[in-house]
């Protein structure tokens, strides 16, 4: 299934891209208080191919995201979840694309291609959109 979401951020695209491009630094801009709180991030490798293991408070296993593609001139990244996947997800690849609207405004578009265990589609979609909303608010609060 395909899942999409977008948000408008009232800050320069270059500022948002600097946070997204530094793939291992998600904990610096992720909301500190909220329904999903990052305890720590352990990075494996650098640049394209690196994996960030995100250990969330209260979760037994980390969410491990691999940076599969990074295109700074077009402000695009692709990541996949590897290892243990949450919410019945069996495969997950997401594309994040940042577009400048004006000098002080940009749009972040996220698109994921997801497969799930039978009957888990709706739960996975809700969980992904919920997580993206937290991500968007973290970016907004940081900038």
């Amino acid at each position: 299934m395909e899942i999409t979401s977008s948000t408008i951020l009232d800050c320069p695209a270059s500022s948002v891209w600097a946070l997204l491009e530094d793939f291992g630094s998600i904990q610096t801009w992720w909301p500190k208080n909220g329904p999903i709180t990052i305890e720590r991030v352990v990075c494996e490798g650098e640049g394209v191919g690196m994996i960030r293991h995100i250990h969330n408070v209260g979760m037994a296993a980390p969410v491990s995201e691999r940076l599969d593609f990074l295109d700074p001139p077009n402000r695009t990244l692709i990541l996949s979840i590897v290892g243990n996947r949450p919410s019945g997800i069996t495969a997950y690849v997401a594309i994040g694309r940042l577009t400048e609207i004006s000098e002080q405004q940009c749009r972040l578009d996220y698109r994921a291609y997801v497969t799930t265990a039978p009957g888990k589609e709706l739960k996975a979609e809700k969980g992904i959109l919920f997580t993206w909303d937290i991500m968007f608010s973290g970016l907004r609060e940081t900038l």
Side-chain angles (χ1 to χ4, degrees), residues 21-24 42-52 66-68 70:
E21 183 179 38
D22 187 2
F23 195 68
V42 177
C43 293
E44 191 179 313
E46 292 181 13
V48 173
M50 77 178 287
I51 299 173
R52 63 184 181 194
R66 182 181 61 219
L67 179 60
D68 295 321
L70 189 65

Side-chain angles (χ1 to χ4, degrees), residues 65-143:
E65 298 178 333
R66 182 181 61 219
L67 179 60
D68 295 321
F69 178 81
L70 189 65
D71 181 4
N74 293 305
R75 294 187 179 117
T76 301
L77 64 82
I78 299 175
L79 64 89
S80 55
I81 297 178
V82 297
N84 293 327
R85 294 173 186 92
S87 303
I89 295 169
T90 57
Y92 175 99
V93 175
I95 302 166
R97 181 167 289 125
L98 188 65
T99 305
E100 185 174 310
I101 296 171
S102 70
E103 286 185 18
Q104 290 300 315
Q105 197 174 57
C106 59
R107 185 183 74 240
L108 179 56
D109 298 303
Y110 248 72
R111 176 180 311 276
Y113 299 94
V114 180
T115 58
T116 68
K120 299 292 185 177
E121 299 85 0
L122 185 57
K123 180 179 179 185
E125 181 177 16
K126 285 182 178 181
I128 290 166
L129 290 171
F130 179 73
T131 302
W132 288 354
D133 282 345
I134 295 169
M135 174 183 65
F136 295 157
S137 78
L139 291 167
R140 196 171 282 110
E141 289 169 15
T142 299
L143 298 166

